[in-house]
Amino acid sequence: MIIVTGAAGFIGSCLISKLNQENFNFIIAVDDFSYPEKEANLVGKRIQERVDREDFFDWLDQNYQEVEFIFHIGARTDTTEFDRQIFEHLNVEYSKQIWNRCIDYQIPLVYASSAATYGLGELGYDDNESLIPQLKPLNPYGDSKNEFDIWVLEQERKPFFWAGLKFFNVYGPNEYHKGRMASVIFHAYHQIKKSGQMKLFRSHNPDFADGEQMRDFVYVKDVIEVCSFLMHHRRNSGIYNLGSGKARTFLDLAKNTFYALDLEPQIGFIDTPADIRDKYQYFTQANMSKLRSIGYEKHFHSLEDGIADYVTNYLSKGQYL
């Protein structure tokens, strides 16, 4: 029996697909199931039971003996939300309760951290655990993720295997419900289909030309491969980066979305919204050597290959993973 929190969300639902492919069918899906727009993410998946997020700890206290692994993917991920109490409840305190039960019940744990913890990247993008207390995230979401990482590293008692994954810019199927928080590729596709052109954020940083802002975009299929590897590996506990390891420009992203639609690029620029302009990351790139050092050898999709697969096989067909 495997528990996935955030099961109806983007990465959680893709992870369930991967687990089903590996013949893990006793999945306990934990989420707030009151959002009908997320329901399609779970259609056709083999799930043993759905458990409401707020009922989960009572459920686990009664059923822990059957649980083999927990993937704690669920979180409030809205980077424009500034109510710190929401993040404290859902991203920090909730995660601490899962951590402590994994210790008490001897359950291995993989949980979602975030590259948002790196802030402007003043200290680089190395998953060196000694640097984590010095990181300066740019918003309450990033703060909450870093606060939990710091707390984890301070704990004397730990699950016998645990891993925190700092997700970089994840894109791919099953993000239809995410609205403003969906990936740039998702928004590019819909903009291009609607208007034949794509508007990117103008640079407000003299070190970067318009469209030359760079991010580490990682395909969700690669993310779930790493999750599966860690579930089987169960050694080398720690906090790991999870990106492609290669920063790419937003211009590259936009052009490849046009190419996937067999269209000539038509790209313009608009000002970055004022509410995020001062907290905008101009460069992110995951150092992936730590994950590689513990034996992860699989290839990551290039931006070209990831966008081509996403646009052709999912967005253009309205398909889910």
Side-chain angles (χ1 to χ4, degrees):
M1 185 178 284
I2 297 170
I3 292 168
V4 178
T5 73
F10 167 35
I11 298 172
S13 62
C14 290
L15 177 57
I16 292 174
S17 287
K18 172 66 177 171
L19 293 169
N20 284 170
Q21 285 171 17
E22 295 186 2
N23 268 334
F24 293 101
N25 301 320
F26 292 101
I27 307 295
I28 305 302
V30 179
D31 211 320
D32 175 354
F33 293 103
S34 63
Y35 295 90
E37 63 270 24
K38 291 160 67 172
E39 189 60 36
N41 283 345
L42 294 177
V43 170
K45 293 177 172 57
R46 295 187 294 280
I47 291 168
Q48 178 80 359
E49 188 175 347
R50 294 184 183 208
V51 178
D52 185 87
R53 182 176 68 201
E54 297 303 325
D55 298 333
F56 171 56
F57 296 116
D58 288 340
W59 182 95
L60 184 58
D61 290 341
Q62 295 171 26
N63 296 278
Y64 67 89
Q65 289 175 314
E66 299 177 66
V67 177
E68 183 181 348
F69 206 95
I70 294 179
F71 288 102
H72 178 35
I73 309 298
R76 176 61 64 91
T77 59
D78 187 345
T79 57
T80 63
E81 171 65 69
F82 288 92
D83 184 343
R84 290 183 179 273
Q85 285 188 318
I86 291 173
F87 290 113
E88 186 67 22
H89 170 57
L90 293 178
N91 293 6
V92 181
E93 293 305 320
Y94 198 92
S95 300
K96 288 179 180 179
Q97 288 198 59
I98 289 179
W99 175 272
N100 286 326
R101 280 172 169 79
C102 285
I103 295 168
D104 293 342
Y105 301 147
Q106 290 291 293
I107 301 170
L109 170 69
V110 166
Y111 74 86
S113 181
S114 171
T117 57
Y118 287 117
L120 292 174
E122 302 95 333
L123 300 176
Y125 297 93
D126 293 343
D127 43 8
N128 179 340
E129 292 170 11
S130 68
L131 295 177
I132 287 174
Q134 302 171 49
L135 298 178
K136 297 174 182 172
L138 297 172
N139 51 48
Y141 164 67
D143 282 336
S144 69
K145 288 297 190 179
N146 204 49
E147 184 182 334
F148 182 64
D149 286 344
I150 292 169
W151 181 86
V152 159
L153 295 174
E154 291 172 345
Q155 301 309 297
E156 290 185 14
R157 297 175 67 235
K158 293 178 167 63
F160 71 86
F161 170 73
W162 64 275
L165 297 175
K166 287 183 183 258
F167 295 145
F168 277 67
N169 285 64
V170 187
Y171 68 94
N174 300 19
E175 61 171 335
Y176 298 100
H177 65 283
K178 286 179 67 71
R180 186 179 177 184
M181 290 297 112
S183 71
V184 185
I185 295 149
F186 177 88
H187 289 297
Y189 170 83
H190 288 285
Q191 243 186 75
I192 293 164
K193 290 290 285 185
K194 184 177 181 180
S195 67
Q197 58 182 330
M198 173 65 189
K199 300 287 189 187
L200 293 173
F201 288 154
R202 187 171 285 118
S203 173
H204 300 271
N205 181 329
D207 295 334
F208 292 84
D210 292 343
E212 297 291 334
Q213 305 96 315
M214 302 181 80
R215 297 284 178 84
D216 189 327
F217 301 102
V218 59
Y219 198 26
V220 72
K221 289 186 178 181
D222 296 323
V223 169
I224 60 179
E225 286 289 345
V226 171
C227 289
S228 173
F229 165 80
L230 290 169
M231 182 180 73
H232 295 294
H233 185 72
R234 301 193 190 191
R235 300 188 302 282
N236 309 107
S237 294
I239 295 174
Y240 293 89
N241 279 340
L242 183 39
S244 69
K246 186 168 178 56
R248 299 293 299 274
T249 69
F250 282 94
L251 274 173
D252 286 337
L253 180 153
K255 288 175 182 175
N256 278 288
T257 308
F258 278 102
Y259 298 152
L261 288 165
D262 204 21
L263 296 170
E264 278 298 309
Q266 300 288 332
I267 300 167
F269 298 94
I270 58 173
D271 285 343
T272 304
D275 65 332
I276 62 171
R277 193 177 300 173
D278 294 340
K279 301 181 182 301
Y280 187 82
Q281 293 172 306
Y282 278 80
F283 176 86
T284 67
Q285 180 171 277
N287 180 344
M288 293 300 296
S289 59
K290 187 173 174 183
L291 184 69
R292 294 298 192 193
S293 75
I294 66 166
Y296 189 77
E297 297 177 342
K298 288 195 174 180
H299 171 75
F300 283 77
H301 286 76
S302 67
L303 187 64
E304 288 81 358
D305 291 344
I307 290 176
D309 184 54
Y310 184 24
V311 169
T312 304
N313 295 316
Y314 298 94
L315 287 174
S316 293
K317 300 175 182 177
Q319 290 293 312
Y320 291 78
L321 181 63

